Each structure stands twice: as structure tokens, then as C-alpha cells.
Amino acid sequence: MTGAPILEIDALTKRFGGFIALNAVSLAIGEGERVGLIGPNGSGKSTLVNCIAGVLRPESGRIRFAGSDIGDLAPFQRTRAGIARSFQIPQPFASMSVIENLCIPLEYAGAGWKRRHGDIRAAAREILADCGLAAKAEALPASLTQIELRKLELARAVAAHPRLLIADEAMAGLSSAEVEEVLSLLFALSARGITIVMIEHIMHAVMRFSQRIVVLDAGRKIAEGKPDDIVRDPAAERAYLGE
């Protein structure tokens, strides 16, 4: 971990009836760090992210962000505190233009951008330019390609002015060249000091991007370390390939 922790998860447990989706998972992420969260389907990755975002409430454990306990905060309050996420399946407002899709999070959560610009649309245009979508500002989401939709999803998360960005399968289904575009964008966001947690099944991408990787399996953290160490970790190999 690099830097002081911005996110601290302590013994987080989440059940769905008799099924234990997270079993006493603990994790600390440093400010500005790039962390990959991997594991087979059903390992608990999405449940962990939903607990961090406030969509799900754990049965036990604690989540601290920037030194404060956020367990009682609603999802919108966590966004305003500096936690943003992109979703695997982009869900833009279909009747709004690309730039209008950014104005919503800028208006309600992007205080940092508004302080800098005063003009929400100017702030939105800057974000779109950074994400390679400047030429699509007035287009409707239905006209965008898959890679453009993924960039819009990330742009909407960035509009919330996050300190921590959770990128959930931002590269799923993209070509190799498109994966490189998304990686370049995420590296650029990291260079600004944004802490990034990447959830991804494209192993060469997550291994290249991450400074540290956390492996979940069956709701437990089974491995954690640098990418080169994880690829040689027997527990991580068993989780993906079986005994």
C-alpha cells in the first residue's frame, strides 16, 4: 500500500439468507493507489463494492473512508464524500445528450469542478475532452459505440469529483485496442491522484494497471500482493483453475 489509507475495511461480513457472500473481509487501500480486485464469478467482488458504495449494508464489520466511519451514510452521501463508481453495463440517461448526462452528477456531487468553473457545462466539456468524447457532447447515448459508452460511464463517475473511483469491468467485451484506450484513461485519472479500484476479468489489463492485487474467492480474501506475486500464488491459481 502506498500512502496513508483512504479506505479501510475491517472484518466485513454480508449474508443473503444462509449464504455468506462476504466472510470477515479486511482491506486497506492507500491514497492514490491502483488496486485490482479479482476473483471468479460469485467470489464476492460485487457485494464488496456494493457495501462500499452503500447499496448494501453488511451484517458486521466497519468501513472507514478518509478517516471517517461511513457505515451510516446513504449512497448519495458517500458519493458526495468522494466515492464514485462506474458500472459494468452503462446506464446513461437515454433521453439526455452526452453533456447533459454529465451535468447531473456535476450539479449534485461535483463540488470541486463547480468551484473551479462556476459553469457546469464548461466543467462537463472539460471532462468530456479528457475522456475523448468532446465531439460527442450533443449526441444521444443511443448513437455511441460500445467504447464511447464505457468512456461516458467513466466520465459520469469522474464528474462526481471522486477521491476514490471504483471501475467495475470497464473493459468487458472491448477489443484489444479499445482496452488500451480505457487503460490510458484510467492511468491518466490515477496521475491526477485519484485512487482507483479496478474490478476486471481481463487479466493482462488488471496486472498491468495494478500496483497491488486483492483476490477474493467464496467471500474470503485469499491472496493479496504485487501482480508478479499473485500470478505465482497457489491459492489464487486454485481459485481460477481448480485443484
Side-chain angles (χ1 to χ4, degrees):
M1 182 176 66
T2 60
I6 189 171
L7 181 70
E8 300 166 274
I9 298 168
D10 183 27
L12 209 65
T13 296
K14 176 61 184 176
R15 297 182 179 88
F16 296 100
F19 174 69
I20 302 176
L22 292 176
N23 194 341
V25 172
S26 295
L27 174 65
I29 296 176
E31 180 129 35
E33 193 175 14
R34 303 191 306 271
V35 175
L37 180 62
I38 66 173
N41 291 332
S43 61
K45 302 185 301 295
S46 294
T47 301
L48 179 59
V49 169
N50 283 328
C51 287
I52 295 169
V55 177
L56 296 174
R57 295 297 177 98
E59 274 67 42
S60 61
R62 186 176 69 169
I63 303 174
R64 291 174 61 83
F65 179 71
S68 298
D69 193 310
I70 61 171
D72 292 330
L73 296 185
F76 79 91
Q77 292 172 313
R78 299 186 193 204
T79 300
R80 288 179 175 173
I83 299 173
R85 64 181 295 189
S86 66
F87 291 87
Q88 179 180 354
I89 300 174
Q91 297 178 344
F93 298 109
S95 62
M96 294 183 174
S97 67
V98 167
I99 193 168
E100 288 168 342
N101 265 272
L102 263 66
C103 289
I104 300 297
L106 279 166
E107 177 67 34
Y108 292 100
W113 291 97
K114 286 190 286 186
R115 281 195 300 269
R116 215 160 76 201
H117 291 270
D119 180 347
I120 288 177
R121 289 183 73 89
R125 289 189 184 279
E126 180 178 322
I127 297 169
L128 290 176
D130 290 343
C131 294
L133 292 173
K136 300 289 184 175
E138 305 302 334
L140 289 175
S143 69
L144 301 184
T145 65
Q146 188 59 227
I147 178 65
E148 289 169 344
L149 282 169
R150 296 303 176 89
K151 289 180 177 181
L152 175 57
E153 185 68 14
L154 286 171
R156 286 174 7 126
V158 170
H161 201 68
R163 294 178 65 185
L164 169 67
L165 170 62
I166 302 171
D168 189 355
E169 304 240 13
M171 292 168 270
L174 299 183
S175 68
S176 296
E178 291 168 339
V179 166
E180 289 299 316
E181 287 187 54
V182 175
L183 274 176
S184 294
L185 175 54
L186 291 172
F187 273 117
L189 295 175
S190 172
R192 296 183 187 177
I194 298 175
T195 306
I196 298 178
V197 175
M198 174 190 284
I199 303 169
E200 193 55 68
H201 284 291
I202 301 175
M203 284 298 101
H204 71 86
V206 74
M207 291 291 173
R208 182 173 144 203
F209 179 79
S210 305
Q211 296 167 312
R212 182 163 54 102
I213 290 177
V214 176
V215 187
L216 296 183
D217 185 35
R220 294 180 179 271
K221 185 176 77 173
I222 62 167
E224 180 178 2
K226 295 180 179 180
D228 288 346
D229 296 328
I230 292 299
V231 296
R232 294 191 295 267
D233 189 287
E237 184 176 5
R238 284 194 298 272
Y240 277 99
L241 302 177
E243 296 291 346

